[in-house]
Amino acid sequence: MKRRNLLLGAATLPVLGALPRTARAASGEPIKIGLLEDVSGDLALFGLPKLHGSQLAVEEVNAAGGIMGRQIDLIHLDPQGDNARYQEFARRLLQRDKVDVLIGGITSASREAIRPIVDRTKTFYIYTNQYEGGVCDAHMLSNGAVPEQQLSTLLPWMVEKFGKKVYVIAADYNFGHLSAEWGHSIMKPLGVEFVGEEFIPLGVSQFAQTIQNIQRAKPDWLYMLDVGAAQSSFYEQKNAAGLHLPMGSPIKIMLGFEHKRFPPGVMKDMYATANWFEELDTPEAKAFVKTWRAKFPNEVYINDMGYNAWVAVHQYKMLVEKAKSTKLPDIRKAMADGKAAFAAPEGQIVIDPKSQHCSHHMRLISVDGENKVHVEKDFGEIKPYWLGQVGCNLLKSDPHEQYTPDNLPKT
């Protein structure tokens, strides 16, 4: 199996005379997947499982005969969390390596750095993280969970269970701001009072002042939208200061696996709504974990990002074989009937043709004082309905826009 893993700083040679995509298809040459994932820098802890999930899926697909009889060539570059590198490497993969599909990106900022490039080159792009939702772009398939699957389930439950005084702590970039906006949109009609809101720059690791602010505000619970290894320092610091409050988040536990990184008690009473977490107790999930750990026995945790990355490769195979083509217009036709589905470990994932986002089986989970994960509520399958409701219909138009509760399509 042919595979390249090109990390930043590694010696690389230019690819001379790369065949055009159509010529490669005719000659039976490998299908090229370009992968952009951080495996160094502040987000490396979360990005490494994404690389591993991609590698595992490629190995499985190639062992089963590839895609339409063609093997996959996985070309990985490490942007180290730098959005300028994301753009540079995306151009390299598209222009020099002539990849058939681009996959990856961790933060919403990295996604938005890539998206104009794939729009200009009319390349198929798969974004594999849960995110703040709203992107209506025919070049992008989003296979992670979105607010109507995570926040519309979690936040009303938190308000009912713990109270109406909420303090928001969010990373200071588009994911944090837009997820906070979603929180306001969902919780204000429930009578919630936001007693504090802080946007913290990425890389900040000292939270003494924030903890004092929370203690003065006396919230019922915390809405946590912090990102990265540095900002995760908040949890141990708040416990050391005697601050013990329930917390709700769309990115903790299943994505950042803090319950595996911190001592027991630090993440007690953290609640999240997830489509995947390694402790998922079904035969399909257990079989998936066994296969993953046979290849990567030292993985700290099979997180949501890594799982979505694995799903993305299998979804791509499904779409190409359904379309009988790697061309984006043909792949979009394969999504248009609303029947493009993949039987994943969480359950069946179906692509919504209007938004090109995915259905997910959602469960509300919590962490106890011994770092054990419990399922509090099973919501079943939830479709990605919000974009379609507000007017995104990629079967009719392609605005290349990201919409939010405060930025809706113009009618």
Side-chain angles (χ1 to χ4, degrees), residues 199-260:
F199 294 95
I200 312 294
L202 289 175
V204 168
S205 61
Q206 298 301 316
F207 290 93
Q209 186 60 57
T210 295
I211 291 166
Q212 291 177 20
N213 294 343
I214 294 170
Q215 289 169 330
R216 283 195 295 267
K218 295 181 169 45
D220 295 318
W221 57 278
L222 307 177
Y223 179 29
M224 299 302 303
L225 301 166
D226 57 294
V227 172
Q231 290 193 359
S232 292
S233 302
F234 169 80
Y235 297 101
E236 288 187 294
Q237 291 174 32
K238 78 166 185 65
N239 271 37
L243 180 64
H244 303 289
L245 286 170
M247 300 169 286
S249 175
I251 55 175
K252 299 297 134 181
I253 309 173
M254 72 287 184
L255 192 152
F257 48 97
E258 292 82 1
H259 64 304
K260 296 294 183 182

Side-chain angles (χ1 to χ4, degrees), residues 113-350:
I114 293 169
R115 200 160 59 82
I117 297 170
V118 298
D119 287 344
R120 285 194 298 271
T121 57
K122 302 187 184 304
T123 305
F124 189 38
Y125 169 48
I126 306 177
Y127 183 56
T128 51
N129 282 15
Q130 67 75 231
Y131 83 112
E132 71 282 353
V135 173
C136 183
D137 189 329
H139 298 88
M140 187 179 97
L141 168 65
S142 174
N143 79 349
V146 287
E148 60 265 41
Q149 294 163 327
Q150 290 190 292
L151 301 182
S152 294
T153 50
L154 172 68
L155 299 182
W157 188 89
M158 293 291 294
V159 171
E160 181 178 354
K161 186 172 180 66
F162 298 115
K164 296 183 178 182
K165 291 185 177 181
V166 178
Y167 201 105
V168 182
I169 300 175
D172 191 11
Y173 71 102
N174 50 350
F175 165 75
H177 285 272
L178 295 178
S179 297
E181 182 183 316
W182 269 101
H184 283 260
S185 175
I186 292 169
M187 291 190 283
K188 277 188 175 178
L190 303 177
V192 163
E193 177 188 359
F194 291 89
V195 297
E197 190 169 72
E198 295 188 32
F199 294 95
I200 312 294
L202 289 175
V204 168
S205 61
Q206 298 301 316
F207 290 93
Q209 186 60 57
T210 295
I211 291 166
Q212 291 177 20
N213 294 343
I214 294 170
Q215 289 169 330
R216 283 195 295 267
K218 295 181 169 45
D220 295 318
W221 57 278
L222 307 177
Y223 179 29
M224 299 302 303
L225 301 166
D226 57 294
V227 172
Q231 290 193 359
S232 292
S233 302
F234 169 80
Y235 297 101
E236 288 187 294
Q237 291 174 32
K238 78 166 185 65
N239 271 37
L243 180 64
H244 303 289
L245 286 170
M247 300 169 286
S249 175
I251 55 175
K252 299 297 134 181
I253 309 173
M254 72 287 184
L255 192 152
F257 48 97
E258 292 82 1
H259 64 304
K260 296 294 183 182
R261 295 158 47 205
F262 297 138
V266 171
M267 299 306 296
K268 184 178 184 297
D269 294 329
M270 172 62 81
Y271 297 84
T273 307
N275 61 297
W276 169 261
F277 48 102
E278 188 176 339
E279 296 86 352
L280 182 57
D281 188 13
T282 67
E284 296 81 6
K286 288 181 175 180
F288 173 71
V289 170
K290 183 177 180 181
T291 299
W292 184 301
R293 291 203 168 277
K295 182 170 179 61
F296 301 107
N298 297 321
E299 195 80 76
V300 178
Y301 189 77
I302 304 171
N303 71 349
D304 179 76
M305 288 184 178
Y307 165 80
N308 289 343
W310 178 88
V311 168
V313 174
H314 285 282
Q315 282 182 312
Y316 183 65
K317 170 183 167 65
M318 176 268 295
L319 288 170
V320 169
E321 292 184 343
K322 191 171 188 282
K324 297 181 173 58
S325 169
T326 59
K327 295 179 180 178
L328 179 59
D330 297 326
I331 288 174
R332 293 198 60 227
K333 288 177 184 176
M335 291 189 277
D337 62 4
K339 297 179 181 178
F342 173 63
E346 73 182 73
Q348 183 168 256
I349 296 174
V350 183

Side-chain angles (χ1 to χ4, degrees), residues 1-142:
M1 177 179 62
K2 184 181 178 184
R3 179 182 300 162
R4 284 172 285 172
N5 178 28
L6 306 177
L7 300 181
L8 185 70
T12 61
L13 297 175
V15 176
L16 301 178
L19 284 173
R21 296 176 183 90
T22 52
R24 289 206 312 271
S27 67
E29 283 199 10
I31 288 175
K32 293 184 177 182
I33 293 179
L35 184 70
L36 291 174
E37 300 295 7
D38 301 334
V39 294
S40 57
D42 187 51
L43 300 172
L45 189 68
F46 317 115
L48 188 59
K50 298 191 76 180
L51 173 61
H52 290 168
S54 304
Q55 291 172 331
L56 175 60
V58 166
E59 183 176 281
E60 291 172 340
V61 170
N62 283 344
I67 299 175
M68 296 194 302
R70 297 167 62 191
Q71 294 285 285
I72 296 174
D73 184 3
L74 182 67
I75 307 171
H76 170 240
L77 298 176
D78 173 19
Q80 296 184 314
D82 185 318
N83 291 330
R85 286 196 185 99
Y86 266 101
Q87 293 179 322
E88 175 193 347
F89 290 167
R91 292 188 187 99
R92 183 192 301 186
L93 290 168
L94 295 170
Q95 296 171 4
R96 189 192 75 173
D97 295 301
K98 300 188 183 303
V99 298
D100 297 282
V101 60
L102 193 65
I103 301 178
I106 289 186
T107 66
S108 289
S110 66
R111 180 197 67 243
E112 292 305 289
I114 293 169
R115 200 160 59 82
I117 297 170
V118 298
D119 287 344
R120 285 194 298 271
T121 57
K122 302 187 184 304
T123 305
F124 189 38
Y125 169 48
I126 306 177
Y127 183 56
T128 51
N129 282 15
Q130 67 75 231
Y131 83 112
E132 71 282 353
V135 173
C136 183
D137 189 329
H139 298 88
M140 187 179 97
L141 168 65
S142 174

